[in-house]
Amino acid sequence: MRIGRDAAGKVTKIITSQPGAEVEWKRLAGDSKPAITADELMQKVSDAAGGEAAWRKLTSRVTTYTMNLENQGVHGYGKVYSKAPDKYAMETTMTALGKKIATGWEYFDGQGGAEAYTFMPAAEKYTGTRLDDVKLANAFYGILDWKTLFKSVEIKRTGKLGDDECWVVEFTPNKGTTYVEYYSTKTFLLRKREGVITSSTSDQKIPYSMTFDDYRDIDGVRVAFKTTSYNIGNGNIVTTFTDVKHNVKLDDKTFAPRKP
């Protein structure tokens, strides 16, 4: 690798060499700015997802899903329960070779929560940064509340996701872990998220990514029916929604501890 400099000694390019090939990487202009502000992007993202008026009409959501752990030969199915402003619960059944191998229950009641699976020795209670991240992830109107949930939202650059050019945006929450999201410059729909999974019991941080596809209009809002998540521990997990219902009456007792 070689460094190219101008007359003043400033680095202008990096040249990577290997036998039979040489690639030159030019430095971007330091004063280049995104063609859109964070406030403008937030408005366009909200509008693309259905708009604030449509979102505020919703108070709950029940989603039925299937999942495929592609690298483990495991499948699954279950339901997700969400209730404004930030309650969440998920029940999961896992299968392999046509047999049930595990069940799980995760919940967050707005203040605290935990996850429990039959292959775990005990339920893991959310604490510390993990608790902050769970609360943030389940903000029902989060798509409308960038200004209150985050101390900074910075558009870093544009980047490619397949053939889709995207705004690459860094979110630094008031409480929780910083992450990056990709929004299409054409549709302004969320296409990808990158971050780390924190632990309630250790300092371990596991990088993850999620891509969002197959957006459909449900009750005036846009919902991604296919999500592909990846982390080094589980590989690819493809989750597909089979049914989405809004404004289902959910008792607060739904969001409570339960043995899987």
Side-chain angles (χ1 to χ4, degrees):
M1 183 169 66
R2 305 196 310 276
I3 305 298
R5 301 178 184 272
D6 61 16
K10 183 179 178 180
V11 175
T12 58
K13 59 186 176 182
I14 295 174
I15 303 155
T16 55
S17 301
Q18 61 182 0
E22 195 169 87
V23 180
E24 184 177 295
W25 307 81
K26 293 185 178 180
R27 184 172 188 161
L28 295 176
D31 58 353
S32 60
K33 295 181 180 180
I36 190 172
T37 68
D39 285 349
E40 290 169 341
L41 180 61
M42 181 182 69
Q43 185 62 56
K44 289 184 179 295
V45 167
S46 170
D47 292 343
E52 181 169 4
W55 274 94
R56 296 294 183 191
K57 290 178 182 179
L58 308 180
T59 58
S60 68
R61 174 183 291 166
V62 177
T63 304
T64 305
Y65 70 90
T66 63
M67 67 179 185
N68 179 7
L69 285 76
E70 292 184 330
N71 303 107
Q72 300 190 35
V74 174
H75 293 77
Y77 57 89
K79 285 188 176 182
V80 179
Y81 307 88
S82 302
K83 183 178 180 180
D86 53 15
K87 292 181 172 62
Y88 156 86
M90 182 173 75
E91 57 187 12
T92 303
T93 299
M94 296 182 181
T95 64
L97 299 176
K99 296 182 178 182
K100 183 189 295 186
I101 61 171
T103 58
W105 177 253
E106 303 177 21
Y107 80 95
F108 178 72
D109 63 10
Q111 297 296 322
E115 60 181 38
Y117 285 82
T118 49
F119 50 75
M120 296 169 61
E124 182 177 313
K125 185 178 180 181
Y126 301 135
T127 61
T129 303
R130 175 65 173 156
L131 177 61
D132 294 332
D133 288 346
V134 169
K135 183 177 179 67
L136 181 64
N138 293 295
F140 196 84
Y141 304 117
I143 197 170
L144 309 174
D145 295 335
W146 289 9
K147 292 182 179 180
T148 56
L149 294 174
F150 303 96
K151 57 185 175 184
S152 71
V153 177
E154 185 179 357
I155 302 172
K156 307 295 287 187
R157 57 184 173 85
T158 58
K160 284 282 189 178
L161 189 63
D163 294 330
D164 202 357
E165 185 178 46
C166 298
W167 296 111
V168 182
V169 188
E170 183 179 81
F171 291 82
T172 303
N174 295 314
K175 288 185 176 181
T177 307
T178 297
Y179 59 87
V180 172
E181 291 188 334
Y182 293 65
Y183 291 90
S184 170
T185 60
K186 296 178 181 178
T187 66
F188 293 97
L189 294 171
L190 175 62
R191 296 299 321 285
K192 185 178 182 180
R193 179 181 297 134
E194 296 174 333
V196 295
I197 303 170
T198 55
S199 171
S200 295
T201 57
S202 71
D203 293 331
Q204 185 181 47
K205 295 181 179 180
I206 302 174
Y208 75 89
S209 68
M210 300 175 67
T211 56
F212 304 88
D213 297 285
D214 190 16
Y215 276 88
R216 303 183 192 179
D217 193 323
I218 305 293
D219 298 323
V221 300
R222 301 280 283 171
V223 178
F225 267 59
K226 179 182 177 182
T227 303
T228 304
S229 61
Y230 172 83
N231 68 67
I232 195 169
N234 294 318
N236 282 333
I237 302 177
V238 180
T239 302
T240 304
F241 293 171
T242 57
D243 185 61
V244 176
K245 288 184 172 64
H246 288 122
N247 294 338
V248 179
K249 188 175 182 179
L250 296 175
D251 192 292
D252 284 349
K253 294 179 181 179
T254 303
F255 310 95
R258 182 193 298 180
K259 287 186 179 181

